[in-house]
PDB file of all heavy atoms in Angstrom:
ATOM      1  N   VAL H 141      -6.508  83.514  77.283  1.00  0.00           N
ATOM      2  CA  VAL H 141      -7.281  83.691  78.513  1.00  0.00           C
ATOM      3  C   VAL H 141      -6.358  83.953  79.693  1.00  0.00           C
ATOM      4  O   VAL H 141      -6.643  84.794  80.553  1.00  0.00           O
ATOM      5  CB  VAL H 141      -8.181  82.464  78.762  1.00  0.00           C
ATOM      6  CG1 VAL H 141      -8.900  82.585  80.094  1.00  0.00           C
ATOM      7  CG2 VAL H 141      -9.200  82.316  77.635  1.00  0.00           C
ATOM      8  N   GLY H 174     -24.025  90.167  78.704  1.00  0.00           N
ATOM      9  CA  GLY H 174     -24.183  89.331  79.883  1.00  0.00           C
ATOM     10  C   GLY H 174     -23.217  89.630  81.011  1.00  0.00           C
ATOM     11  O   GLY H 174     -23.133  88.867  81.984  1.00  0.00           O
ATOM     12  N   ARG H 176     -23.334  91.651  83.429  1.00  0.00           N
ATOM     13  CA  ARG H 176     -23.960  91.833  84.753  1.00  0.00           C
ATOM     14  C   ARG H 176     -24.076  90.522  85.518  1.00  0.00           C
ATOM     15  O   ARG H 176     -24.060  90.507  86.754  1.00  0.00           O
ATOM     16  CB  ARG H 176     -25.342  92.479  84.595  1.00  0.00           C
ATOM     17  CG  ARG H 176     -25.294  93.939  84.126  1.00  0.00           C
ATOM     18  CD  ARG H 176     -26.692  94.533  84.035  1.00  0.00           C
ATOM     19  NE  ARG H 176     -26.665  95.955  83.709  1.00  0.00           N
ATOM     20  CZ  ARG H 176     -26.661  96.433  82.470  1.00  0.00           C
ATOM     21  NH1 ARG H 176     -26.668  95.589  81.432  1.00  0.00           N
ATOM     22  NH2 ARG H 176     -26.637  97.730  82.255  1.00  0.00           N
ATOM     23  N   ALA H 184     -11.382  84.557  87.431  1.00  0.00           N
ATOM     24  CA  ALA H 184     -11.244  83.508  86.411  1.00  0.00           C
ATOM     25  C   ALA H 184     -12.556  83.298  85.669  1.00  0.00           C
ATOM     26  O   ALA H 184     -12.566  83.054  84.457  1.00  0.00           O
ATOM     27  CB  ALA H 184     -10.788  82.205  87.063  1.00  0.00           C
ATOM     28  N   ALA H 204     -21.421  84.550  58.952  1.00  0.00           N
ATOM     29  CA  ALA H 204     -22.569  85.103  58.233  1.00  0.00           C
ATOM     30  C   ALA H 204     -22.146  85.969  57.054  1.00  0.00           C
ATOM     31  O   ALA H 204     -22.978  86.362  56.240  1.00  0.00           O
ATOM     32  CB  ALA H 204     -23.442  85.918  59.189  1.00  0.00           C
ATOM     33  N   ALA H 278     -13.586  76.950  72.334  1.00  0.00           N
ATOM     34  CA  ALA H 278     -12.202  76.762  71.899  1.00  0.00           C
ATOM     35  C   ALA H 278     -12.119  75.729  70.779  1.00  0.00           C
ATOM     36  O   ALA H 278     -11.356  75.895  69.815  1.00  0.00           O
ATOM     37  CB  ALA H 278     -11.334  76.335  73.076  1.00  0.00           C
ATOM     38  N   THR H 300     -13.217 100.964  34.737  1.00  0.00           N
ATOM     39  CA  THR H 300     -14.364 101.294  33.905  1.00  0.00           C
ATOM     40  C   THR H 300     -15.621 100.537  34.309  1.00  0.00           C
ATOM     41  O   THR H 300     -16.681 100.761  33.749  1.00  0.00           O
ATOM     42  CB  THR H 300     -14.051 100.952  32.439  1.00  0.00           C
ATOM     43  OG1 THR H 300     -13.693  99.561  32.347  1.00  0.00           O
ATOM     44  CG2 THR H 300     -12.887 101.790  31.932  1.00  0.00           C
ATOM     45  N   PRO H 306     -21.362  89.968  40.882  1.00  0.00           N
ATOM     46  CA  PRO H 306     -22.284  89.324  41.801  1.00  0.00           C
ATOM     47  C   PRO H 306     -21.532  88.523  42.851  1.00  0.00           C
ATOM     48  O   PRO H 306     -20.522  87.883  42.560  1.00  0.00           O
ATOM     49  CB  PRO H 306     -23.106  88.399  40.884  1.00  0.00           C
ATOM     50  CG  PRO H 306     -22.239  88.167  39.693  1.00  0.00           C
ATOM     51  CD  PRO H 306     -21.462  89.431  39.512  1.00  0.00           C
ATOM     52  N   ALA H 371     -42.181  75.192  67.897  1.00  0.00           N
ATOM     53  CA  ALA H 371     -41.189  75.634  68.879  1.00  0.00           C
ATOM     54  C   ALA H 371     -39.797  75.410  68.321  1.00  0.00           C
ATOM     55  O   ALA H 371     -39.523  74.381  67.688  1.00  0.00           O
ATOM     56  CB  ALA H 371     -41.361  74.886  70.192  1.00  0.00           C
ATOM     57  N   LEU H 379     -38.200  79.766  71.283  1.00  0.00           N
ATOM     58  CA  LEU H 379     -39.178  80.603  70.600  1.00  0.00           C
ATOM     59  C   LEU H 379     -40.360  79.742  70.190  1.00  0.00           C
ATOM     60  O   LEU H 379     -40.189  78.655  69.644  1.00  0.00           O
ATOM     61  CB  LEU H 379     -38.557  81.246  69.361  1.00  0.00           C
ATOM     62  CG  LEU H 379     -37.309  82.110  69.584  1.00  0.00           C
ATOM     63  CD1 LEU H 379     -36.746  82.587  68.260  1.00  0.00           C
ATOM     64  CD2 LEU H 379     -37.630  83.292  70.483  1.00  0.00           C
ATOM     65  N   ILE H 414     -29.377  73.730  74.520  1.00  0.00           N
ATOM     66  CA  ILE H 414     -30.611  72.993  74.258  1.00  0.00           C
ATOM     67  C   ILE H 414     -30.452  72.154  72.995  1.00  0.00           C
ATOM     68  O   ILE H 414     -29.868  72.584  72.010  1.00  0.00           O
ATOM     69  CB  ILE H 414     -31.790  73.979  74.139  1.00  0.00           C
ATOM     70  CG1 ILE H 414     -33.117  73.272  74.328  1.00  0.00           C
ATOM     71  CG2 ILE H 414     -31.747  74.756  72.841  1.00  0.00           C
ATOM     72  CD1 ILE H 414     -34.256  74.224  74.614  1.00  0.00           C
ATOM     73  N   THR H 509     -26.664  49.845  74.564  1.00  0.00           N
ATOM     74  CA  THR H 509     -25.380  50.425  74.965  1.00  0.00           C
ATOM     75  C   THR H 509     -24.361  50.202  73.855  1.00  0.00           C
ATOM     76  O   THR H 509     -24.623  49.524  72.863  1.00  0.00           O
ATOM     77  CB  THR H 509     -24.873  49.784  76.272  1.00  0.00           C
ATOM     78  OG1 THR H 509     -24.679  48.379  76.053  1.00  0.00           O
ATOM     79  CG2 THR H 509     -25.869  49.987  77.409  1.00  0.00           C
ATOM     80  N   HIS H 589     -21.024  64.545  53.555  1.00  0.00           N
ATOM     81  CA  HIS H 589     -21.747  65.686  53.002  1.00  0.00           C
ATOM     82  C   HIS H 589     -22.540  66.382  54.099  1.00  0.00           C
ATOM     83  O   HIS H 589     -22.726  65.842  55.195  1.00  0.00           O
ATOM     84  CB  HIS H 589     -22.716  65.227  51.901  1.00  0.00           C
ATOM     85  CG  HIS H 589     -22.039  64.666  50.688  1.00  0.00           C
ATOM     86  ND1 HIS H 589     -21.307  65.429  49.815  1.00  0.00           N
ATOM     87  CD2 HIS H 589     -21.981  63.395  50.202  1.00  0.00           C
ATOM     88  CE1 HIS H 589     -20.832  64.674  48.844  1.00  0.00           C
ATOM     89  NE2 HIS H 589     -21.223  63.433  49.058  1.00  0.00           N
ATOM     90  N   ARG H 633     -39.133  90.337  64.953  1.00  0.00           N
ATOM     91  CA  ARG H 633     -38.778  91.717  64.581  1.00  0.00           C
ATOM     92  C   ARG H 633     -38.725  91.948  63.086  1.00  0.00           C
ATOM     93  O   ARG H 633     -38.319  93.015  62.632  1.00  0.00           O
ATOM     94  CB  ARG H 633     -37.454  92.150  65.241  1.00  0.00           C
ATOM     95  CG  ARG H 633     -37.529  92.222  66.750  1.00  0.00           C
ATOM     96  CD  ARG H 633     -36.183  92.452  67.385  1.00  0.00           C
ATOM     97  NE  ARG H 633     -35.296  91.321  67.176  1.00  0.00           N
ATOM     98  CZ  ARG H 633     -35.328  90.210  67.896  1.00  0.00           C
ATOM     99  NH1 ARG H 633     -36.201  90.078  68.876  1.00  0.00           N
ATOM    100  NH2 ARG H 633     -34.481  89.229  67.666  1.00  0.00           N
TER     101      ARG H 633
END
Side-chain angles (χ1 to χ4, degrees):
V141 175
R176 291 182 175 89
T300 57
L379 302 176
I414 199 164
T509 61
H589 294 291
R633 295 172 294 279

